[in-house]
Amino acid sequence: MIHKTIMFGLLISGLAFNCWAQDAKNDSSKVVHSKVTDAKKCCGSACTVNFPKELGLSLEYLDGIGHRISVARKSPDPVELALAAQALSVAEKVSGKKASITSEQILTEALELAKLRGISNELSAVAILVPESKADFDKQISIAKKREAEAKQKTESGEGDKELLGRLTVINHSGECLKIFVSGRYKGTVHEGETISFHVHDHNQATRLDAICESDNDLVSQQFVFGHNHDFIWHVH
């Protein structure tokens, strides 16, 4: 009887260990630490730029263009950024000067954001506003429309969309209130010292995470996530 009890105990222990080992093997969680130095510098806070003074122009629409750019970044809205870049480009041509934030910088930002978000209507609109980008955007638009049609079909059939990233947990050590964006889509705000989890999905091969300072809209930190991750933990310092 004692012998059987010992054998049974060993069997249960072995099964428990195998289950634990299998769980550890299947656990795809990943932890990364990002610092300010890891982030790509953005072209500054547009609200702080005095465009009329720097361009030497009295065009009335220049008074609000900094706010317009800032709002488009916060949305984020690549179409509005492209329109603001066009408006700023006109002023640059009239004055023959450039401000500390240029139309080229804003336009580049708009094109990158449109590709990152991958929304067919936004891509089409930006391609119309920037004709030289049309050839590059045609393929992106086709892929986006196919993906949107598949997502709609899954939703209508009750299957739901496939989560490509899973759960993102952001731990904010930065001392700033951070707005979190996943591939150009706003997910939520994480205050100083907070830890918040978001359920996210993304269609890009490399998912881009941006932590933006809420007070001045500057990029605090940036991280790229490759492949499928069920549980991704991001420490922002």
mmCIF file of all heavy atoms in Angstrom, residues 6-20:
data_model
loop_
_atom_site.group_PDB
_atom_site.id
_atom_site.type_symbol
_atom_site.label_atom_id
_atom_site.label_comp_id
_atom_site.label_asym_id
_atom_site.label_seq_id
_atom_site.Cartn_x
_atom_site.Cartn_y
_atom_site.Cartn_z
ATOM 1 N N ILE A 6 3.433 5.899 -2.811
ATOM 2 C CA ILE A 6 4.649 6.610 -3.248
ATOM 3 C C ILE A 6 4.676 6.729 -4.759
ATOM 4 O O ILE A 6 4.966 7.795 -5.317
ATOM 5 C CB ILE A 6 5.913 5.878 -2.746
ATOM 6 C CG1 ILE A 6 5.995 5.981 -1.215
ATOM 7 C CG2 ILE A 6 7.157 6.466 -3.378
ATOM 8 C CD1 ILE A 6 7.100 5.135 -0.615
ATOM 9 N N MET A 7 4.335 5.630 -5.446
ATOM 10 C CA MET A 7 4.328 5.630 -6.916
ATOM 11 C C MET A 7 3.302 6.626 -7.451
ATOM 12 O O MET A 7 3.540 7.358 -8.405
ATOM 13 C CB MET A 7 4.012 4.225 -7.431
ATOM 14 C CG MET A 7 5.134 3.218 -7.221
ATOM 15 S SD MET A 7 6.655 3.695 -8.084
ATOM 16 C CE MET A 7 6.118 3.532 -9.763
ATOM 17 N N PHE A 8 2.123 6.675 -6.788
ATOM 18 C CA PHE A 8 1.078 7.607 -7.214
ATOM 19 C C PHE A 8 1.523 9.057 -7.032
ATOM 20 O O PHE A 8 1.316 9.914 -7.877
ATOM 21 C CB PHE A 8 -0.193 7.346 -6.398
ATOM 22 C CG PHE A 8 -1.350 8.237 -6.777
ATOM 23 C CD1 PHE A 8 -2.051 8.032 -7.969
ATOM 24 C CD2 PHE A 8 -1.720 9.303 -5.961
ATOM 25 C CE1 PHE A 8 -3.095 8.869 -8.311
ATOM 26 C CE2 PHE A 8 -2.762 10.127 -6.312
ATOM 27 C CZ PHE A 8 -3.453 9.905 -7.496
ATOM 28 N N GLY A 9 2.214 9.301 -5.881
ATOM 29 C CA GLY A 9 2.717 10.649 -5.603
ATOM 30 C C GLY A 9 3.737 11.084 -6.626
ATOM 31 O O GLY A 9 3.748 12.224 -7.097
ATOM 32 N N LEU A 10 4.628 10.145 -6.989
ATOM 33 C CA LEU A 10 5.644 10.465 -7.995
ATOM 34 C C LEU A 10 5.009 10.740 -9.354
ATOM 35 O O LEU A 10 5.445 11.612 -10.106
ATOM 36 C CB LEU A 10 6.642 9.298 -8.113
ATOM 37 C CG LEU A 10 7.589 9.107 -6.935
ATOM 38 C CD1 LEU A 10 8.390 7.813 -7.100
ATOM 39 C CD2 LEU A 10 8.542 10.296 -6.825
ATOM 40 N N LEU A 11 3.945 9.970 -9.669
ATOM 41 C CA LEU A 11 3.260 10.165 -10.941
ATOM 42 C C LEU A 11 2.619 11.544 -11.008
ATOM 43 O O LEU A 11 2.739 12.263 -12.000
ATOM 44 C CB LEU A 11 2.182 9.083 -11.096
ATOM 45 C CG LEU A 11 1.301 9.179 -12.359
ATOM 46 C CD1 LEU A 11 2.161 9.050 -13.605
ATOM 47 C CD2 LEU A 11 0.218 8.110 -12.342
ATOM 48 N N ILE A 12 1.932 11.928 -9.910
ATOM 49 C CA ILE A 12 1.290 13.251 -9.862
ATOM 50 C C ILE A 12 2.330 14.359 -9.966
ATOM 51 O O ILE A 12 2.162 15.350 -10.681
ATOM 52 C CB ILE A 12 0.475 13.425 -8.563
ATOM 53 C CG1 ILE A 12 -0.690 12.426 -8.553
ATOM 54 C CG2 ILE A 12 -0.033 14.845 -8.410
ATOM 55 C CD1 ILE A 12 -1.666 12.624 -9.698
ATOM 56 N N SER A 13 3.460 14.209 -9.259
ATOM 57 C CA SER A 13 4.522 15.211 -9.290
ATOM 58 C C SER A 13 5.090 15.343 -10.691
ATOM 59 O O SER A 13 5.371 16.440 -11.179
ATOM 60 C CB SER A 13 5.644 14.820 -8.317
ATOM 61 O OG SER A 13 5.149 14.782 -7.003
ATOM 62 N N GLY A 14 5.253 14.172 -11.349
ATOM 63 C CA GLY A 14 5.792 14.190 -12.708
ATOM 64 C C GLY A 14 4.862 14.893 -13.670
ATOM 65 O O GLY A 14 5.283 15.689 -14.513
ATOM 66 N N LEU A 15 3.544 14.624 -13.516
ATOM 67 C CA LEU A 15 2.567 15.284 -14.376
ATOM 68 C C LEU A 15 2.553 16.787 -14.141
ATOM 69 O O LEU A 15 2.464 17.582 -15.076
ATOM 70 C CB LEU A 15 1.173 14.705 -14.109
ATOM 71 C CG LEU A 15 0.913 13.279 -14.630
ATOM 72 C CD1 LEU A 15 -0.430 12.778 -14.122
ATOM 73 C CD2 LEU A 15 0.961 13.250 -16.156
ATOM 74 N N ALA A 16 2.641 17.177 -12.865
ATOM 75 C CA ALA A 16 2.654 18.616 -12.532
ATOM 76 C C ALA A 16 3.864 19.295 -13.135
ATOM 77 O O ALA A 16 3.785 20.405 -13.677
ATOM 78 C CB ALA A 16 2.636 18.795 -11.010
ATOM 79 N N PHE A 17 5.028 18.608 -13.048
ATOM 80 C CA PHE A 17 6.255 19.190 -13.605
ATOM 81 C C PHE A 17 6.141 19.321 -15.117
ATOM 82 O O PHE A 17 6.534 20.332 -15.699
ATOM 83 C CB PHE A 17 7.455 18.309 -13.252
ATOM 84 C CG PHE A 17 8.745 18.805 -13.865
ATOM 85 C CD1 PHE A 17 9.428 19.861 -13.282
ATOM 86 C CD2 PHE A 17 9.236 18.242 -15.027
ATOM 87 C CE1 PHE A 17 10.605 20.334 -13.855
ATOM 88 C CE2 PHE A 17 10.398 18.718 -15.599
ATOM 89 C CZ PHE A 17 11.094 19.752 -15.020
ATOM 90 N N ASN A 18 5.577 18.287 -15.771
ATOM 91 C CA ASN A 18 5.437 18.333 -17.227
ATOM 92 C C ASN A 18 4.510 19.456 -17.649
ATOM 93 O O ASN A 18 4.754 20.138 -18.646
ATOM 94 C CB ASN A 18 4.885 16.989 -17.742
ATOM 95 C CG ASN A 18 5.945 15.901 -17.721
ATOM 96 O OD1 ASN A 18 7.128 16.202 -17.779
ATOM 97 N ND2 ASN A 18 5.510 14.637 -17.651
ATOM 98 N N CYS A 19 3.408 19.643 -16.886
ATOM 99 C CA CYS A 19 2.481 20.732 -17.199
ATOM 100 C C CYS A 19 3.164 22.083 -17.037
ATOM 101 O O CYS A 19 2.999 22.988 -17.848
ATOM 102 C CB CYS A 19 1.254 20.666 -16.281
ATOM 103 S SG CYS A 19 0.156 19.296 -16.659
ATOM 104 N N TRP A 20 3.940 22.232 -15.961
ATOM 105 C CA TRP A 20 4.660 23.486 -15.718
ATOM 106 C C TRP A 20 5.667 23.748 -16.840
ATOM 107 O O TRP A 20 5.791 24.854 -17.349
ATOM 108 C CB TRP A 20 5.376 23.403 -14.380
ATOM 109 C CG TRP A 20 6.270 24.603 -14.121
ATOM 110 C CD1 TRP A 20 5.903 25.805 -13.606
ATOM 111 C CD2 TRP A 20 7.662 24.710 -14.403
ATOM 112 N NE1 TRP A 20 6.972 26.655 -13.547
ATOM 113 C CE2 TRP A 20 8.072 25.995 -14.032
ATOM 114 C CE3 TRP A 20 8.604 23.830 -14.940
ATOM 115 C CZ2 TRP A 20 9.383 26.433 -14.174
ATOM 116 C CZ3 TRP A 20 9.917 24.268 -15.080
ATOM 117 C CH2 TRP A 20 10.281 25.547 -14.702
#
